Amino acid sequence: MAPSIQNLGWFYKNEGVQQPAMQSLFLTGLTLLGAYIFTIWFISYIRFLLSLYVLPGTQLRTFGSPSKTWAVITGASDGLGKEYALALSKAGYSTLLISRTASKLDAVANEIKQKFNTPTRTLAIDFALNRDDDYARLQDAITGLDISILINNVGVSHSIPVPFTETPEAEMETIVMVNCMATLRITRLIAPGMVDRKRGLIITMGSFGGLIPTPLLATYSGSKAFLQQWSTALGAELAQHNITVRLVQSYMITTAMSKIRVPTVFVPAPRPYVRSVLASIGRSGGAQGFMYSATPWWGHAWMQYVTNCFVGGHNWMLLRYNVWLHEGIRKRALKKRAERKKAQ
Ligand SMILES: NC(=O)c1ccc[n+]([C@@H]2O[C@H](COP(=O)([O-])OP(=O)(O)OC[C@H]3O[C@@H](n4cnc5c(N)ncnc54)[C@H](OP(=O)(O)O)[C@@H]3O)[C@@H](O)[C@H]2O)c1
């Protein structure tokens, strides 16, 4: 007979222990364990709420005076990068804008000049090519600049969800070169100056895809998992030099990458999203338990918190759901492609 609360007498008799004393010991142990688990959960819940809604973030000027220092933003010609560039210019920082298309960078630089009249420079580099010459041009461009903020924003994903076995090699290479290699090489050029000056902020755009393995976006998902680990390690290395490193964990935002146009609570527009990142430096938001990381947008933070509490990122149901979701997106995208081809 298996022991249960009702038939523990069988167990106690065999063990020669007094039944009431053992029973109350068992119940007390159970109660203490429950109280311990509840307290841990309650503390994490309160920390989550304080971090998301109450505690202020570190002021940007802590990392360097806006009127005297520079912010470098990659992928600055569109989407989130453009919003980072506008927000930091509005805060008074001089900006170095980097991305692939010179004409788009010029348009953003003109907008900054017109709206905020802060110094701004542009540098067109195709990071997918991983050319030493381009990084030498970047080195020249930053020489002599007091860079207090680096936004490692540039990132690319698969053009449509695709099984790994069918992923074009060029797409795989582009994702790794842009998301991983460019982030490493740019940070390697800029971080030493921050170390010398003993101040700085390095923000890197991660993704929920780096936390929750995402089938049919496997290479992108892996590249963001790489950034999660790299950035966390970097955060621990640079903390002693008074440099703040943050990996921003994010679900979708209405940009060209997500192909979603209408913002919702869970898929915000780039402007409020970037505002939430810059207003909460030093707070982890939904990224409770992740060192040097943050999930600042409240809709994303709740998604992450609830998933972590009740399901967990590596849950098989979540993985199956993700397969089903991305297979559906792929089917619709292929259908659209075929229709477009027919219409031509
Ligand atoms: N949007 C989302 O739902 C979402 C969710 C989670 C995480 N993220 C992350 O957030 C970051 C920004 O994403 P986003 O949605 O703003 O992307 P986006 O709207 O597609 O903009 C991408 C930016 O990167 C530049 N870029 C692309 N390929 C490049 C290359 N080979 N060399 C140099 N620059 C290149 C683009 O420049 P051009 O204009 O010249 O092409 C553009 O400025 C990415 O790291 C992304 O992974 C986004």
Side-chain angles (χ1 to χ4, degrees), residues 134-190:
D134 288 329
Y135 288 99
R137 284 197 297 128
L138 173 56
Q139 174 69 78
D140 288 346
I142 63 171
T143 301
L145 300 187
D146 179 343
I147 298 167
S148 57
I149 299 176
L150 167 62
I151 311 281
N152 283 321
N153 164 78
V154 73
V156 287
S157 186
H158 301 267
S159 57
I160 62 170
V162 56
F164 179 73
T165 51
E166 294 172 34
T167 309
E169 269 194 38
E171 186 170 87
M172 258 163 41
E173 203 173 310
T174 296
I175 291 172
V176 173
M177 286 307 161
V178 175
N179 297 9
C180 305
M181 189 56 92
T183 303
L184 296 186
R185 292 189 77 170
I186 293 161
T187 309
R188 181 67 185 80
L189 288 178
I190 291 175

Side-chain angles (χ1 to χ4, degrees), residues 192-266:
M194 291 180 170
V195 171
D196 288 345
R197 292 186 289 274
K198 296 200 182 327
R199 57 170 165 73
L201 169 67
I202 300 174
I203 291 180
T204 299
M205 280 307 300
S207 165
F208 278 14
L211 302 174
I212 300 170
T214 314
L216 280 83
L217 299 178
T219 306
Y220 176 76
S221 184
S223 73
K224 291 295 178 178
F226 168 87
L227 289 180
Q228 175 74 51
Q229 297 298 326
W230 165 79
S231 178
T232 308
L234 184 74
E237 281 184 29
L238 295 187
Q240 60 179 314
H241 300 290
N242 194 33
I243 296 166
T244 298
V245 177
R246 280 290 174 278
L247 189 285
V248 175
Q249 300 172 347
S250 176
Y251 184 61
M252 286 195 273
I253 303 137
T254 57
T255 64
M257 181 183 278
S258 70
K259 300 183 183 84
I260 297 176
R261 293 213 181 101
V262 184
T264 64
V265 163
F266 297 114

Side-chain angles (χ1 to χ4, degrees), residues 75 77 80 100-101 104 125-127 153 220 224 253 255:
S77 55
L80 297 182
R100 185 175 38 186
T101 315
K104 287 172 76 179
I125 297 180
D126 184 346
F127 291 122
N153 164 78
Y220 176 76
K224 291 295 178 178
I253 303 137
T255 64

Side-chain angles (χ1 to χ4, degrees), residues 308-320:
N308 281 344
C309 279
F310 297 106
V311 190
H314 287 239
N315 177 284
W316 69 269
M317 280 189 298
L318 199 57
L319 279 173
R320 283 308 312 162

